[in-house]
Amino acid sequence: MSKKRILFLGETYRADAITWMNGLREFGNFEIVTWELQTSSTGVNRIKRILELAKAILFIKSIVKEFRPDMVIAERTTSYGYLAAICGVKPIAIAQQGISDLWPNDSPLFLFKKMLQDYAFKKADLIHAWGNVMATHMEQSNVDMSKVMVMPKGINLDFFRFEENHDETMIQAIVTRSLEPEYKHDVILKAFSILKQKKVPFTLTIIGDGSESGRLKALTKELDIEKQVKFTGRIDNNEIPKYLQKSNSYISMPITEGVSASLFEAMACGCFPIVSDLPGNRCWLTEKVNGILVPSENHTKLAEELEWAFNNSSVTKKAIINNRKFVEENANYKTNMKKIADTYNDLIKIKSTTT
């Protein structure tokens, strides 16, 4: 039987997109062709991106004519979701990447994005909510919830293996988020400077790259913690589990969060999570049971909670064992991506029998 073909609209360099496509190839035997916008959505590029979006449909229709996909899928319910909705391919599956995909709420393009999103919601045959926090937004947007699949893509648990042999004599913290302003690495660095002043032993590993790299490296010198902080830069994804397995604490302080694969990866490898107190994280963590939730821009509170976790190893030990079990039961890539791939095949079969 010939492979079914999927057109993927989205940013193919993103780890989430790679996981999604790899899972569809592995468990659905799909052939996938991709297309993505070339202009970023930040700063002065916003207008250029809108203009590119307006012209994109011509390029996509030419791909459709040549590739003849059986289905189209898109990450984000605004830009790519809208393009999926008007490209002429059915069935359509779109994925909401953030709590609403309309962030920031004070954006001058908010109403424009909302219009695109509403149209994509209406035309989609399947809408992915990678977590309940996304499904809540969909309900508030009057989405037909019978079209919504609430399930994270999951992570590969053979790859992100559990380790419990951590050094308990010091905090070995890790951050795996991009070095961009919304992830508030400066808050994390300021918290660790407080720990140094209190003579709490620690190392901090920051993985990734981004526009804040130079500023953050300068800040470590200003705070006199450069000897304790290691910036790895961007590394191969295959190396990430090794760093997580050598760490005992996972820190993430973004100002907005949907469903974080990085959090699942850390939980799977045995890191105790200390993260922003946001709805997307409250779905998975209970305060001082299997993690700690901190206001995203409060470095003093973060320092207090890091010290508390360090001094309460009985709580953190129990938490990391239970977190591994939780990820195995709720975010197993093999289980979840098999269900998603099967759903796609079912949608394609239904479409073929009705056309």
Side-chain angles (χ1 to χ4, degrees):
M1 185 172 64
S2 62
K3 288 185 177 182
K4 297 300 181 183
R5 297 178 171 186
I6 287 179
L7 170 60
F8 174 84
L9 304 179
E11 287 146 4
T12 55
Y13 65 88
R14 288 166 45 87
D16 280 354
I18 293 169
T19 299
W20 194 1
M21 289 188 288
N22 285 347
L24 294 176
R25 292 187 184 104
E26 183 176 356
F27 300 108
N29 195 33
F30 288 108
E31 181 182 351
I32 300 174
V33 69
T34 67
W35 184 89
E36 61 193 280
L37 293 161
Q38 298 303 307
T39 309
S40 74
S41 59
T42 58
V44 296
N45 289 323
R46 287 195 182 100
I47 300 300
K48 290 182 180 179
R49 187 175 173 92
I50 291 172
L51 293 173
E52 187 183 1
L53 184 66
K55 295 186 292 184
I57 191 61
L58 298 175
F59 294 102
I60 294 171
K61 283 188 178 292
S62 67
I63 294 173
V64 169
K65 185 176 180 180
E66 181 180 351
F67 184 62
R68 299 176 64 84
D70 298 286
M71 182 176 183
V72 59
I73 65 176
E75 63 171 8
R76 296 206 195 97
T77 54
T78 49
S79 53
Y80 294 110
Y82 175 75
L83 291 174
I86 64 174
C87 76
V89 178
K90 293 284 277 183
I92 302 164
I94 62 174
Q96 186 166 301
Q97 295 299 111
I99 292 177
S100 72
D101 282 354
L102 301 174
W103 185 85
N105 292 333
D106 60 355
S107 167
L109 298 175
F110 181 89
L111 292 178
F112 176 68
K113 290 181 180 179
K114 185 73 169 66
M115 179 186 70
L116 298 184
Q117 184 182 70
D118 287 345
Y119 186 83
F121 279 151
K122 181 179 178 181
K123 293 297 183 180
D125 299 284
L126 176 69
I127 305 169
H128 287 289
W130 304 127
N132 287 322
V133 67
M134 299 166 177
T136 298
H137 167 258
M138 293 172 189
E139 283 187 291
Q140 293 169 349
S141 300
N142 298 316
V143 170
D144 177 358
M145 297 305 289
S146 68
K147 299 194 296 185
V148 176
M149 185 179 198
V150 185
M151 180 186 295
K153 293 181 291 294
I155 60 170
N156 189 335
L157 296 177
D158 294 334
F159 186 54
F160 292 96
R161 293 189 298 273
F162 181 73
E163 294 284 349
E164 200 184 353
N165 55 347
H166 301 134
D167 184 354
E168 295 183 10
T169 65
M170 66 188 306
I171 297 172
Q172 296 170 302
I174 188 168
V175 181
T176 60
R177 312 305 293 268
S178 299
L179 274 59
E180 298 297 339
E182 60 266 30
Y183 291 110
K184 294 295 176 183
H185 290 74
D186 56 341
V187 172
I188 297 171
L189 293 176
K190 289 173 184 176
F192 277 97
S193 73
I194 293 174
L195 294 184
K196 181 173 182 178
Q197 293 167 20
K198 298 179 75 171
K199 302 189 184 306
V200 177
F202 72 87
T203 61
L204 173 61
T205 301
I206 299 177
I207 293 176
D209 202 357
S211 63
E212 291 278 278
S213 178
R215 188 178 77 85
L216 293 171
K217 289 176 182 177
L219 183 59
T220 62
K221 293 181 181 179
E222 181 183 327
L223 297 172
D224 192 29
I225 56 172
E226 59 181 316
K227 291 182 180 179
Q228 289 86 10
V229 180
K230 177 181 179 181
F231 290 89
T232 69
R234 187 172 295 173
I235 65 173
D236 189 288
N237 282 344
N238 293 329
E239 297 297 312
I240 292 176
K242 298 175 185 177
Y243 282 93
L244 289 170
Q245 289 157 357
K246 293 176 182 177
S247 305
N248 55 25
S249 301
Y250 166 78
I251 318 298
S252 180
M253 288 288 115
I255 55 177
T256 183
E257 190 76 279
V259 172
S260 172
S262 298
L263 173 60
F264 290 150
E265 292 165 0
M267 292 167 72
C269 289
C271 296
F272 182 77
I274 303 176
V275 300
S276 299
D277 186 7
L278 296 169
N281 290 326
R282 290 183 215 125
C283 289
W284 318 111
L285 300 179
T286 300
E287 177 68 8
K288 291 186 177 174
V289 174
N290 68 330
I292 295 177
L293 300 162
V294 180
S296 63
E297 300 189 59
N298 191 331
H299 67 274
T300 303
K301 182 65 173 175
L302 176 57
E304 291 174 2
E305 299 297 9
L306 281 162
E307 187 174 10
W308 184 92
F310 177 60
N311 291 326
N312 287 271
S313 60
S314 60
V315 174
T316 59
K317 279 184 179 180
K318 184 177 180 181
I320 64 172
I321 293 171
N322 289 336
N323 282 346
R324 174 69 188 194
K325 292 177 182 176
F326 178 86
V327 174
E328 288 173 354
E329 292 170 1
N330 296 279
N332 187 330
Y333 163 84
K334 290 183 178 180
T335 302
N336 293 10
M337 282 308 307
K338 176 68 166 60
K339 290 179 181 177
I340 292 169
D342 287 348
T343 300
Y344 286 8
N345 272 313
D346 290 343
L347 284 172
I348 292 170
K349 286 177 185 177
I350 292 169
K351 178 239 179 182
S352 65
T353 59
T354 57
T355 55

